[in-house]
């Protein structure tokens, strides 16, 4: 067969191989964000894991709910930073190995005593949560919501929650530890430690993964490549180093600012 004919036959395959996988994401600094270096820690991990097998990635920046729906319909190849649940509960997706572990903590105003072991003392507390996360389903936080006796303030984003906390519109707010520290530092870099502290005991910990549209013909190959890349990054210590770099520019709360409710 002439060389030209071979090239013409291979062109569609080469084009398909070069096409990036399209993953839906939202704004969740420092893990994901259009203006963050490498798109944030989680996007950096995912992009690097795929790159090990030669697969490029493009990110569709949408609301979290819209991105998940597009992935469910096959209009995106997948969605990132969703809970790693059993695949039986995710019939539309293949679920990757964990990318990051989210530790949800409760931030509270300094001087407002709160203790997870004694939720009855939360009577009158002004609580809140963002509408895109099911934090109200976390047992420890659900008990506080019930004990407060005040309807919670439901907010559009973690940024809105942090601003409500700093402006004394609420007494406490649940958020991923790294996200909370990042947003506090962005909103009030020199004074936040005088206004906000965090309970030492986390509300919950859960792994976040990549969901891949199950019906795509390359989904299984993508999943294998991603999981292999994640395993290499984790075993080499690279993910730990990136996480350490993430924390370096910000001063986290000193020991006296991490409380058990006193």
């Amino acid at each position: 067969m002439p060389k030209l004919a071979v090239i013409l036959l291979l062109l569609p395959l080469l084009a398909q191989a070069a096409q990036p996988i399209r993953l839906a994401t939202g704004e969740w600094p420092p893990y994901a964000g259009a203006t963050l270096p490498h798109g944030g820690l989680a996007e950096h991990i995912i992009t690097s894991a795929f790159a090990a097998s030669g697969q490029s990635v493009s990110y569709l920046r949408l609301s979290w709910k819209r991105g998940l729906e597009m992935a469910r319909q096959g209009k995106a190849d997948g969605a990132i930073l969703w809970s790693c649940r059993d695949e039986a509960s995710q019939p539309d997706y293949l679920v990757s190995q964990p990318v990051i572990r989210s530790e949800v903590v409760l931030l509270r105003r300094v001087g407002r005593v709160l203790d997870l072991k004694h939720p009855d003392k939360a009577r009158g507390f002004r609580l809140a949560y963002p509408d895109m996360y099911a934090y109200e389903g976390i047992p420890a936080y659900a008990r506080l919501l019930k004990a407060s006796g005040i309807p919670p303030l439901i907010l559009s984003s973690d940024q809105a929650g942090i601003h409500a906390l700093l402006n004394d519109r609420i007494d406490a707010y649940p958020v991923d530890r790294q996200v909370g520290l990042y947003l506090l530092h962005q909103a009030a870099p020199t004074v936040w430690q005088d206004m906000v502290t965090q309970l030492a005991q986390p509300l919950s910990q859960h792994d976040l993964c990549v969901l891949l549209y199950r019906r795509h013909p390359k989904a299984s190959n993508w999943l294998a490549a991603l999981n292999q890349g994640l395993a290499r990054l984790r075993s080499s210590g690279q993910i730990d180093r990136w996480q350490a770099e993430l924390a370096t520019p910000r001063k986290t709360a000193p020991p006296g600012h991490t409380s058990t409710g006193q």
Side-chain angles (χ1 to χ4, degrees):
M1 182 181 294
K3 287 184 178 180
L4 180 59
V6 173
I7 293 173
L8 291 174
L9 286 173
L10 289 176
L11 280 177
L13 296 176
L14 293 172
Q16 186 178 12
Q19 197 165 19
I21 180 173
R22 302 164 305 141
L23 299 178
T25 183
E27 289 288 321
W28 201 37
Y31 297 126
T35 62
L36 298 173
H38 307 289
L41 173 63
E43 291 187 19
H44 191 24
I45 293 171
I46 294 165
T47 300
S48 300
F50 271 119
S53 64
Q55 176 64 56
S56 61
V57 183
S58 67
Y59 293 97
L60 308 176
R61 302 194 179 277
L62 307 161
S63 72
W64 292 102
K65 290 181 180 179
R66 176 61 179 153
L68 187 64
E69 183 59 28
M70 286 190 66
R72 181 178 286 113
Q73 297 173 358
K75 296 178 180 177
D77 299 321
I80 75 169
L81 294 181
W82 290 90
S83 179
C84 305
R85 290 177 289 186
D86 187 281
E87 281 195 34
S89 66
Q90 299 281 13
D92 298 307
Y93 312 107
L94 299 179
V95 183
S96 79
Q97 291 298 306
V99 175
I100 59 171
R101 166 158 284 200
S102 174
E103 184 177 64
V104 179
V105 298
L106 189 63
L107 301 180
R108 65 168 175 85
R109 294 277 303 182
V110 169
R112 312 289 164 82
V113 178
L114 191 63
D115 191 340
L116 296 181
K117 295 180 180 178
H118 301 284
D120 54 301
K121 295 182 179 180
R123 184 72 182 174
F125 259 71
R126 300 167 298 167
L127 302 173
Y129 57 83
D131 65 0
M132 66 278 203
Y133 304 123
Y135 288 162
E136 72 276 19
I138 297 174
Y141 196 55
R143 289 191 288 270
L144 293 177
L145 289 169
K146 182 178 180 180
S148 75
I150 298 176
L153 186 63
I154 302 176
L155 299 162
S156 61
S157 66
D158 283 329
Q159 288 91 334
I162 294 300
H163 282 287
L165 194 60
L166 291 170
N167 293 325
D168 201 15
R169 292 177 56 211
I170 56 176
D171 296 308
Y173 184 75
V175 67
D176 174 274
R177 188 186 298 277
Q178 289 297 330
V179 172
L181 291 173
Y182 178 91
L183 293 175
L184 284 167
H185 185 79
Q186 293 294 310
T190 60
V191 299
W192 71 263
Q193 291 184 14
D194 297 323
M195 304 166 68
V196 175
T197 186
Q198 62 185 6
L199 298 188
Q201 181 182 354
L203 292 172
S204 72
Q205 298 182 61
H206 54 282
D207 293 324
L208 300 178
C209 297
V210 176
L211 305 182
L212 297 171
Y213 179 58
R214 183 184 293 273
R215 294 175 182 82
H216 194 288
K218 297 181 70 175
S220 295
N221 291 337
W222 285 336
L223 182 69
L226 175 58
N227 285 342
Q228 289 171 8
L230 289 171
R232 290 193 195 99
L233 290 172
R234 192 161 284 112
S235 64
S236 70
Q238 183 62 70
I239 291 178
D240 290 338
R241 288 191 289 272
W242 283 336
Q243 289 176 325
E245 291 170 6
L246 181 70
T248 300
R250 299 189 309 281
K251 292 182 179 180
T252 57
H257 277 261
T258 299
S259 73
T260 57
Q262 301 302 315

